[in-house]
Amino acid sequence: MTRHFLPDTAALLGRSLRHISRSPDTVITTTIMPIAFLLLFVYVFGGAIRTGSDRYVNYLLPGILLITVVSGISYTAYRLFLDLKGGIFERFRSMPIARSAVLWAHVLTSLVANLISLVVVVLVALAMGFRSGAGPLAWLAVTGILLLFTLALTWLAVIPGLTATSVDGASAFSYPLILLPFVSSAFVPTDTMPGPVRAFAEHQPVTSIVNALRGLLGGQPDGGEVWTALAWCAGLLVVAYAGAMVVHRRRVG
């Protein structure tokens, strides 16, 4: 069945994308919260926060982009849970298709949906005064990091999607992840934080990824931060993918 992997994945991807096109509230919902955070922090808290940047929206946007991704991946777990409970996996098992194609279709759907949400958030930020000194290569690097981060978290979302016992449980796993940007350099510099909080903030993946994106978007990329961000994303991807495959074999194998 391996030789059927690509056409099977493409067919199932089309199915998932049709579901989203018939329910655009999925993309709309996942962009509302990040945009609300963007508006709140720029227009309410921005005047009281000192970051050394000429525009707070420039400082803030990388963290908001990560929150956008985290908000979107909860729908991957939700859709997987519905397919599992609806018996779709059992139907596909009786057909001559590659079993992993079902998971990859959901993962690629997440990439497409999150990419749309990210573009919307960037457009809103531009309307609010965001400006970037990044060139084409820097924007490609930003896109690559965000897609790798999305891919890693999406495979992580597959695990609760296959193991949850309720709809709420399938999507609620993303809530703790949304809190991570608040204990990072996403909203304020880490040097303003108390000692233990600062130590955690400076050594967790969100800070490295946010700093890498901020440097790239500002036209002053830090090679060390970029490689650290890529290492975090790649490491998380490997662990999440391996865990998802183990759960998939046990759950529906």
Side-chain angles (χ1 to χ4, degrees), residues 147-173:
L147 289 179
L148 188 59
F149 181 72
T150 303
L151 189 61
L153 289 194
T154 300
W155 278 111
L156 187 63
V158 168
I159 298 174
L162 294 176
T163 58
T165 58
S166 67
V167 172
D168 291 337
S171 56
F173 89 100

Side-chain angles (χ1 to χ4, degrees), residues 20-175:
I20 288 183
S21 67
R22 294 166 185 166
S23 181
D25 59 297
T26 297
V27 177
I28 294 172
T29 301
T30 57
T31 57
I32 286 177
M33 184 174 67
I35 290 174
F37 279 141
L38 190 62
L39 294 170
L40 176 67
F41 276 86
V42 170
Y43 293 127
V44 178
F45 301 136
I49 299 175
R50 296 292 177 263
T51 62
S53 175
D54 56 341
R55 291 188 179 96
Y56 182 56
V57 66
N58 288 6
Y59 184 91
L60 181 65
L61 182 60
I64 296 297
L65 294 177
L66 297 194
I67 288 178
T68 303
V69 172
V70 175
S71 301
I73 60 164
S74 62
Y75 278 90
T76 301
Y78 171 76
R79 287 189 294 266
L80 266 173
F81 175 82
L82 292 183
D83 273 358
L84 192 63
K85 293 301 180 182
I88 294 295
F89 278 83
E90 284 72 15
R91 296 182 200 173
F92 288 153
R93 285 177 60 189
S94 66
M95 301 169 64
I97 65 173
R99 292 185 179 181
S100 60
V102 181
L103 294 184
W104 273 105
H106 281 285
V107 169
L108 294 176
T109 299
S110 173
L111 286 178
V112 173
N114 276 289
L115 184 60
I116 294 172
S117 297
L118 289 168
V119 170
V120 172
V121 171
V122 170
L123 290 176
V124 172
L126 286 170
M128 294 172 62
F130 168 74
R131 297 296 180 267
S132 173
L137 290 179
W139 274 104
L140 282 176
V142 168
T143 303
I145 291 174
L146 288 172
L147 289 179
L148 188 59
F149 181 72
T150 303
L151 189 61
L153 289 194
T154 300
W155 278 111
L156 187 63
V158 168
I159 298 174
L162 294 176
T163 58
T165 58
S166 67
V167 172
D168 291 337
S171 56
F173 89 100
S174 66
Y175 298 156

Side-chain angles (χ1 to χ4, degrees), residues 158-219:
V158 168
I159 298 174
L162 294 176
T163 58
T165 58
S166 67
V167 172
D168 291 337
S171 56
F173 89 100
S174 66
Y175 298 156
L177 297 179
I178 293 176
L179 297 178
L180 280 180
F182 290 91
V183 193
S184 73
S185 63
F187 296 95
V188 296
T190 56
D191 56 15
T192 64
M193 301 176 183
V197 177
R198 177 179 178 179
F200 174 79
E202 291 180 347
H203 295 90
Q204 61 123 321
V206 171
T207 292
S208 296
I209 298 171
V210 163
N211 289 345
L213 294 176
R214 188 174 290 136
L216 288 166
L217 290 173

